[in-house]
């Protein structure tokens, strides 16, 4: 299918929040240091919203819907250092909605260290509802929603990670952007795309967008799992793809195998920085001056580095690494990175 036939945005509510298209650039010195395929980076850390990241693409659609539904507040949820929560708070401020964040912390108490994204949440004036509940934080979100409604507000709930049928359209549109990038660069499609995958919306959107632009099957979309086993995340991604297809009125459906997920790099668990992440962060910093984050992109880069060392890709192949952001969190991990 000609990519110009595919127009996700026009059918759906959308508010411009991201600096698009994001840059795409070769990582010559990093590729050379590894001696494998030629690695490029898609700079989705530069989407621009309060230090940027991948959630901004999703929020263009999610905030579009919140505004269209005449909401006056939004509620979302995440872990303590949630990049999604911080970007949602910033997006809400930009369109004039009151941001409410349900954030996990041990004991449900405000953490002693409020650096990184928590500092930004405070500066953005987000109302933080600390909770001990874990993802998807449904009970606490419902409680905050009831409270806001009782106060006469009209809140809109944005799911954790911004991962629903509407949010994933941000990454369906990103694949269209990639198709345009390739045209501009006069290069054939990348052989492999590598990115961190967690709540699944980014991966699902990429799969849907790759289908719509005719790239699915010609290019590998490899998600490096940050916190979950393939057996759990695969079906979730497939469900999201199908929800997205339904929203677009397509007959196309996928099964669980559609999601290419590598769960070999879970290390000590979510947000536990190990030697692979430390090495990946230093290697990209010292070969390219590029900073990746300790939780998502550092782990995905560590996985990519290991796969390159294991000759998973041929040296004549081209790999696109998606930098999905998260650098703000790095300042909350000084102990584990110094
Ligand atoms: C949320 C996040 C991801 C994962 O995206 P999902 O759509 O949740 O799978 C990757 N990188 C960063 C920096 C993130 O904040």
């Amino acid at each position: 299918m000609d990519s110009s036939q595919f127009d996700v945005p026009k059918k759906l509510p959308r508010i411009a929040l991201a600096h698009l298209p994001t840059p795409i650039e070769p990582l010559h010195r990093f590729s050379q240091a590894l001696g494998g395929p030629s690695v490029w980076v898609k700079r989705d850390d530069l989407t621009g919203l309060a230090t940027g990241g991948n959630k901004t693409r999703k929020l263009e659609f999610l905030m579009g819907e919140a505004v269209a539904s005449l909401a006056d507040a939004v509620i979302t949820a995440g872990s303590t250092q949630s990049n999604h929560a911080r970007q949602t708070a910033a997006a809400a401020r930009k369109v004039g909605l009151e941001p409410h964040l349900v954030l996990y912390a041990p004991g449900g108490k405000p953490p002693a260290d409020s650096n990184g994204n928590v500092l930004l949440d405070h500066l953005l004036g987000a109302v933080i509802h600390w909770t001990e509940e874990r993802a998807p934080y449904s009970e606490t979100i419902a409680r905050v929603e009831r409270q806001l409604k009782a106060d006469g507000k009209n809140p809109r709930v944005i799911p954790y990670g911004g991962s629903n049928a509407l949010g994933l359209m941000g990454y369906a549109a990103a694949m269209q952007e990639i198709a345009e990038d390739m045209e501009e660069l006069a290069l054939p499609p990348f052989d492999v795309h590598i990115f961190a995958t967690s709540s699944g919306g980014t991966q699902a959107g990429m799969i849907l967008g790759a289908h719509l632009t005719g790239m699915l099957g010609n290019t590998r979309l490899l998600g490096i799992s940050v916190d979950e086993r393939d057996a759990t995340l695969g079906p979730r991604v497939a469900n999201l793809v199908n929800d997205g297809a339904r929203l677009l009125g397509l007959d196309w459906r996928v099964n669980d195998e559609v999601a290419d997920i590598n769960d070999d790099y879970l290390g000590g668990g979510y947000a536990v920085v190990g030697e692979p992440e430390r090495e990946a962060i230093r290697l990209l910093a010292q070969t390219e001056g590029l900073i990746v984050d300790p939780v998502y992109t550092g782990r995905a880069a560590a996985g990519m580095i290991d796969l390159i060392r294991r000759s998973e890709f041929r040296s004549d192949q081209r790999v696109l690494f998606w930098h999905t952001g998260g650098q703000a969190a790095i300042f909350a991990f000084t102990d584990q990175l110094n």
Side-chain angles (χ1 to χ4, degrees):
M1 190 196 283
D2 181 338
S3 65
S4 61
Q5 288 176 259
F6 160 53
D7 246 332
V8 160
K10 302 231 163 70
K11 288 188 173 182
L12 299 166
R14 187 178 190 180
I15 287 180
L17 294 169
H19 297 173
L20 301 178
T22 56
I24 184 166
E25 44 199 39
L27 299 176
H28 292 303
R29 296 176 58 81
F30 174 77
S31 305
Q32 210 169 24
L34 292 169
S38 146
V39 183
W40 292 55
V41 66
K42 180 70 171 166
R43 296 293 304 272
D44 271 18
D45 58 317
L46 299 180
T47 53
L49 194 63
T51 76
N54 64 335
K55 304 312 181 305
T56 303
R57 287 189 189 267
K58 303 178 182 183
L59 286 163
E60 291 205 332
F61 292 91
L62 296 164
M63 285 294 166
E65 188 195 45
V67 168
S69 70
L70 303 180
D72 50 19
V74 290
I75 308 166
T76 200
S79 59
T80 314
Q81 283 296 327
S82 170
N83 302 303
H84 164 67
R86 178 255 307 161
Q87 286 164 85
T88 302
R93 286 309 190 191
K94 202 168 158 73
V95 300
L97 308 184
E98 187 176 277
H100 287 260
L101 305 179
V102 169
L103 297 181
Y104 169 82
K109 304 225 160 53
D113 177 16
S114 57
N115 205 337
N117 282 302
V118 179
L119 171 61
L120 298 182
D121 296 339
H122 287 157
L123 297 177
L124 291 161
V127 182
I128 304 181
H129 308 267
W130 294 103
T131 180
E132 258 189 306
E133 193 185 344
R134 294 294 197 156
Y137 315 95
S138 320
E139 280 173 33
T140 316
I141 290 175
R143 181 167 52 73
V144 173
E145 187 181 16
R146 276 196 306 274
Q147 185 59 53
L148 290 177
K149 282 183 175 162
D151 294 346
K153 298 215 156 104
N154 181 20
R156 192 87 196 157
V157 173
I158 292 177
Y160 101 98
S163 289
N164 61 13
L166 193 57
L168 67 86
M169 292 304 158
Y171 272 86
M175 290 313 279
Q176 184 177 32
E177 186 177 302
I178 283 290
E180 286 156 14
D181 287 342
M182 301 325 288
E183 237 162 79
E184 208 157 294
L185 291 164
L187 287 173
F190 284 95
D191 299 288
V192 192
H193 295 246
I194 299 183
F195 47 90
T197 183
S198 178
S199 69
T202 299
Q203 186 161 17
M206 285 182 178
I207 291 167
L208 181 59
H211 168 67
L212 290 165
T213 54
M215 280 190 270
L216 200 64
N218 305 330
T219 195
R220 189 173 170 195
L221 302 172
L222 174 58
I224 306 285
S225 178
V226 162
D227 51 359
E228 261 168 328
R229 289 283 165 206
D230 180 21
T232 308
L233 188 50
R236 187 192 304 158
V237 171
N239 284 336
L240 284 166
V241 174
N242 289 335
D243 290 348
R246 223 171 274 124
L247 180 62
L248 295 180
L250 306 175
D251 288 333
W252 184 67
R253 295 290 180 273
V254 299
N255 60 31
D256 297 356
E257 277 81 68
V258 77
D260 188 354
I261 295 168
N262 183 316
D263 60 7
D264 289 343
Y265 303 100
L266 302 178
Y270 180 76
V272 178
V273 180
E275 204 38 48
E277 289 83 17
R278 272 191 286 275
E279 193 220 349
I281 292 170
R282 284 190 166 73
L283 187 60
L284 277 161
Q286 294 173 22
T287 54
E288 299 288 346
L290 183 67
I291 302 299
V292 290
D293 84 283
V295 181
Y296 296 92
T297 52
R299 181 159 288 177
M304 173 174 70
I305 290 166
D306 186 62
L307 291 171
I308 291 173
R309 287 181 177 148
R310 291 168 181 275
S311 304
E312 173 83 7
F313 317 111
R314 294 194 317 269
S315 56
D316 63 344
Q317 287 190 312
R318 286 163 36 257
V319 172
L320 183 64
F321 179 73
W322 286 74
H323 191 329
T324 46
Q327 291 101 322
I330 211 160
F331 303 106
F333 285 80
T334 36
D335 293 351
Q336 296 179 66
L337 292 170
N338 265 316

